[in-house]
Amino acid sequence: MAGRINDDDVKAVRDAVPIDAVVSEYLQLRNAGGGNLKGLCPFHDEKSPSFQVSPSKGFYHCFGCQAGGDTLDFIMKIDHLSFSEAVERLAGQAGITLRYEEGGYTAGTSGRGERIRLVEAHKAAALFYAEQLGGAEAEIARRFLAERGFDQAAAQHFGVGYSPAGWDHLTRFLRGKGFTDKELILSGLAQDSRSGKPIDRFRGRLMWPIRDISGEVVGFGARKLREDDNGPKYLNTPETAIYKKSQVLYGIDLAKKEIAKTSRAVVVEGYTDVMACHLAGVTTAIATCGTAFGGDHIKILRRLLMDNATAEVIFTFDGDAAGQKAALRAFEDDQKFAAETSITIAPGGMDPCDLRLAQGDAAVAGLVDARTPLFEFALRHIVARHNLENPAGRAAALAEAAPVVASIKDLSIQHESAVQLAGMLGILDEQFVVKRVAQLARWARERGNQPQQQGRGRPQEPAPAAPPAALGGGPALNLRSPAHRTERELLKLALQRPALVSPAFDAYGTDEFTAPPYAAVRQAIQDAGGAAQGTEDYLVRVREAAPNDTVRAMVTELAVEAIHAKTVDEVYAGVQLVQVRLRAVDRRVLEIQGSMTRLSPQAPPEQHAAIQQELWVLQQYGQRLRNRGAEGL
């Protein structure tokens, strides 16, 4: 093993890669005020952004699910990496050579995490396949691309390659790069043969590298080129530690910035369709990889689209029966989007790739513009199955279609769609249809299935579950309490702006913080050297000093949460210092007065005198704080 990563190198990695740059690879971030950024949390399902990033502090925190930490914590959690794997991933991006405590500079790969190794194997394989595309054997692959309107530049842009037809070309190449047979099997790039030796999984095929949202190659899609290939037309990487087909979208690495910028995503059906759309200027196009569009795909898109009033997801499907079935399957998930969903079908049942070949780039762009709301498509499909020439057929169509309209959350769209449905069915009394839809919607709401909401036609976001008491959700912490609010503000100042409260803050005891979570944070600050040491790596040291994950999460939360003041200066800091100290003094005064009441008249005079002296000193100190503020501390 290469050993423990040098602490200075870990610090260099943390400093080299800004947290907002890392997080924005996975979700769209917008200004949250106070120097913070916000987005939809990637760790739990939400429609309103409660996930915040503080670039200046280097931390993130979700106020919905309480996830939080620094850049390394984020990478570890979102990509399921170990600590060393996360450090190695970011070090590679920053060009930092890591040193290991046992063995100096790493010369080999034995200490690299499994996931990192699998990603590196795919990166090397992608380069290998791309290089093979220029060889004599790959002429059939180049011809395939050319026949579909893709030149060499297009192939390079998408990283398209070719897998040689031999048994183990890639296997031998990757072995030469230091990868083991076990790693090649685990990666899905190779498979066991009858002889017991690994052979290439992909042979004699056109290869598309499939990248995750951060741009890492995690798998491949392979297209059959020769008649003597007995395999399926398309062969994808099997499920591995880094490739889950339900959680990847082809082209998302190229499309994500434009999706976030335009609040629009175009979902197509294949790799060549994505290529055609991007080359035609529709650079928000993406596709699933050998599976139907589902819930995990929706989560990826929602994090990029956020809860934008103009967000839209457009599906393009073939006009055949399979395409219509796919469209209806997508409609079943319609309400999970925080966006409008539409569908577009090319004339003659052509896909975007065919359409670009036949009519050019403008036709592909026009296809996207000629979209129809997905619920309208679903209605027309339902109605078309019934005989509208007789009352029984119209009644049956209404019975099937009315619940679809009733599921639309926006009341104005629901009403207009009900009127539209009446027209489709040829029912002259449109108010009959409107009332029927409204009745179904009311019944659904009463059953709790359809929470009503105005605007955009989306369900209301359920309130996040209350955090545990130690994080502020129970009796240990009451943010309606003035004392707790002030203690929280003072701790935020001590973590975010330590110079404003030092050195006074470091003289405060943990007993001056009445909420146990706040007392624990105060102790962590003390154990880290105090607020006066709030210089480089201060927040990292405080988090490391926290006794457990609960306190550590509270530290992160307070380090990211905005300070509730228009002007954060010494005056504001002084007010918080005084209020916390004054409340502590008043509590002690009440305790002493209670002790005096309970003190026996027969107690020694010196005991009475000592208590009275302490009471007098505290009362004088309290009066000084009230009169002079921070100067009286």
Side-chain angles (χ1 to χ4, degrees):
M1 297 297 292
R4 180 174 176 271
I5 301 173
N6 180 278
D7 288 342
D8 290 339
D9 291 346
V10 173
K11 177 183 178 302
V13 169
R14 279 194 174 105
D15 294 342
V17 187
I19 191 169
D20 50 322
V22 173
V23 174
S24 62
E25 290 292 323
Y26 296 84
L27 59 140
Q28 183 185 5
L29 293 174
R30 292 180 178 168
N31 183 21
N36 284 0
L37 302 169
K38 65 180 179 180
L40 291 176
C41 180
F43 305 124
H44 82 286
D45 197 20
E46 62 176 7
K47 295 185 178 67
S48 300
S50 60
F51 181 93
Q52 292 208 12
V53 175
S54 174
S56 62
K57 310 295 186 307
F59 287 100
Y60 74 93
H61 184 80
C62 176
F63 292 90
C65 70
Q66 307 301 317
D70 61 10
T71 312
L72 292 173
D73 293 315
F74 180 82
I75 288 294
M76 289 166 62
K77 187 172 179 65
I78 198 165
D79 283 332
H80 309 288
L81 302 179
S82 67
F83 177 79
S84 60
E85 287 176 327
V87 174
E88 289 165 348
R89 159 85 74 84
L90 294 181
Q93 294 178 7
I96 296 173
T97 301
L98 297 176
R99 295 167 293 175
Y100 294 80
E101 296 296 332
E102 301 169 14
Y105 282 86
T106 178
T109 56
S110 60
R112 307 302 297 275
E114 179 182 289
R115 190 184 191 282
I116 294 292
R117 293 290 291 161
L118 299 188
V119 170
E120 288 178 343
H122 276 79
K123 181 178 179 181
L127 293 174
F128 173 81
Y129 290 143
E131 184 176 346
Q132 298 303 308
L133 187 62
E137 182 188 324
E139 192 277 332
I140 188 175
R142 295 193 297 273
R143 185 168 66 247
F144 178 96
L145 291 171
E147 289 172 352
R148 286 155 181 78
F150 305 125
D151 57 16
Q152 182 180 356
Q156 290 177 345
H157 181 66
F158 290 93
V160 181
Y162 174 76
S163 56
W167 289 104
D168 61 353
H169 288 281
L170 177 67
T171 297
R172 286 186 285 111
F173 173 79
L174 292 179
R175 280 176 181 157
K177 294 290 185 181
F179 294 97
T180 66
D181 287 353
K182 179 182 178 182
E183 288 172 334
L184 298 183
I185 297 294
L186 289 174
S187 70
L189 295 170
Q191 59 189 9
D192 287 320
S193 67
R194 294 176 182 175
S195 66
K197 295 181 179 180
I199 58 173
D200 295 350
R201 179 176 296 276
F202 305 109
R203 302 184 300 276
R205 289 182 170 244
L206 188 62
M207 306 296 296
W208 281 272
I210 299 170
R211 294 181 171 87
D212 62 16
I213 196 169
S214 69
E216 300 279 12
V217 180
V218 294
F220 289 93
R223 210 284 187 182
K224 181 167 70 172
L225 296 171
R226 296 176 173 84
E227 291 298 326
D228 59 356
D229 186 337
N230 296 321
K233 182 177 180 181
Y234 281 96
L235 180 64
N236 280 17
T237 293
E239 297 278 306
T240 69
I242 63 173
Y243 180 78
K244 311 292 183 187
K245 63 183 179 181
S246 65
Q247 298 174 11
V248 292
L249 288 165
Y250 178 71
I252 193 68
D253 57 308
L254 298 174
K256 63 183 178 183
K257 290 185 179 178
E258 197 65 17
I259 290 174
K261 178 181 177 181
T262 63
S263 293
R264 172 190 286 185
V266 177
V267 181
V268 298
E269 291 193 279
Y271 306 126
T272 57
D273 293 332
V274 171
M275 294 175 70
C277 285
H278 279 250
L279 295 175
V282 184
T283 54
T284 59
I286 52 175
T288 60
C289 300
T291 186
F293 193 88
D296 288 331
H297 300 126
I298 292 172
K299 291 178 182 178
I300 295 172
L301 286 185
R302 283 181 52 198
R303 293 199 294 268
L304 295 175
L305 295 167
M306 288 188 66
D307 194 14
N308 192 307
T310 61
E312 184 177 18
V313 177
I314 303 169
F315 293 91
T316 68
F317 293 109
D318 293 344
D320 58 16
Q324 292 194 15
K325 184 177 180 181
L328 293 173
R329 204 164 44 233
F331 176 71
E332 293 175 2
D333 288 326
D334 173 70
Q335 299 298 325
K336 296 179 182 177
F337 281 101
E340 291 299 331
T341 53
S342 304
I343 184 173
T344 184
I345 298 177
M350 292 186 288
D351 57 33
C353 183
D354 294 334
L355 183 62
R356 179 171 177 263
L357 276 175
Q359 301 180 26
D361 290 347
V364 177
L367 172 66
V368 174
D369 291 336
R371 58 200 181 276
T372 300
L374 192 52
F375 70 83
E376 182 179 326
F377 171 84
L379 285 181
R380 294 189 181 281
H381 188 270
I382 291 170
V383 170
R385 293 204 299 263
H386 297 274
N387 181 6
L388 304 183
E389 297 300 321
N390 59 68
R394 290 193 294 272
L398 176 61
E400 187 177 353
V404 173
V405 180
S407 70
I408 299 171
K409 306 303 183 298
D410 189 304
L411 290 176
S412 60
I413 297 178
Q414 185 189 97
H415 177 84
E416 291 177 8
S417 300
V419 172
Q420 185 179 12
L421 176 59
M424 291 181 186
L425 298 176
I427 297 177
L428 298 179
D429 185 3
E430 62 184 34
Q431 286 305 308
F432 172 78
V433 177
V434 170
K435 291 178 181 178
R436 177 58 177 161
V437 166
Q439 183 184 50
L440 289 171
R442 185 172 62 254
W443 287 348
R445 288 197 303 276
E446 290 172 353
R447 292 195 304 268
N449 296 332
Q450 304 285 351
Q452 193 68 48
Q453 174 179 304
Q454 297 289 337
R456 296 302 297 162
R458 302 295 141 204
Q460 289 179 334
E461 173 70 5
L471 286 179
L477 185 57
N478 177 11
L479 294 184
R480 288 184 295 272
S481 160
H484 287 184
R485 287 202 306 269
T486 308
E487 291 169 20
R488 189 179 185 89
E489 282 296 285
L490 180 54
L491 287 173
K492 286 192 290 185
L493 286 164
L495 291 168
Q496 300 180 32
R497 303 287 293 276
L500 289 180
V501 296
S502 295
F505 178 85
D506 289 337
Y508 281 48
T510 56
D511 59 345
E512 297 189 60
F513 293 85
T514 58
Y518 295 163
V521 173
R522 169 66 191 96
Q523 185 64 49
I525 294 173
Q526 179 177 316
D527 293 343
Q533 302 299 317
T535 54
E536 192 175 12
D537 291 339
Y538 167 60
L539 288 175
V540 173
R541 285 187 280 110
V542 174
R543 292 185 77 247
E544 289 176 347
N548 53 51
D549 288 342
T550 300
V551 178
R552 193 169 297 112
M554 178 58 76
V555 170
T556 307
E557 179 176 335
L558 296 174
V560 171
E561 185 178 300
I563 297 171
H564 298 308
K566 292 183 178 179
T567 303
V568 182
D569 54 14
E570 291 181 353
V571 174
Y572 182 75
V575 170
Q576 312 314 310
L577 284 164
V578 169
Q579 288 299 316
V580 171
R581 174 58 58 80
L582 191 55
R583 288 193 174 100
V585 169
D586 289 344
R587 288 194 301 273
R588 182 56 184 159
V589 166
L590 289 174
E591 289 175 4
I592 294 175
Q593 288 174 338
S595 297
M596 292 179 64
T597 303
R598 294 189 299 272
L599 190 63
S600 170
Q602 286 74 39
E606 58 270 20
Q607 188 174 356
H608 281 277
I611 293 176
Q612 289 175 339
Q613 175 66 18
E614 183 181 357
L615 179 61
W616 181 84
V617 169
L618 285 170
Q619 289 173 331
Q620 293 299 307
Y621 183 42
Q623 193 59 45
R624 188 171 77 208
L625 291 175
R626 290 182 174 88
N627 293 339
R628 299 176 58 186
E631 292 182 4
L633 288 170

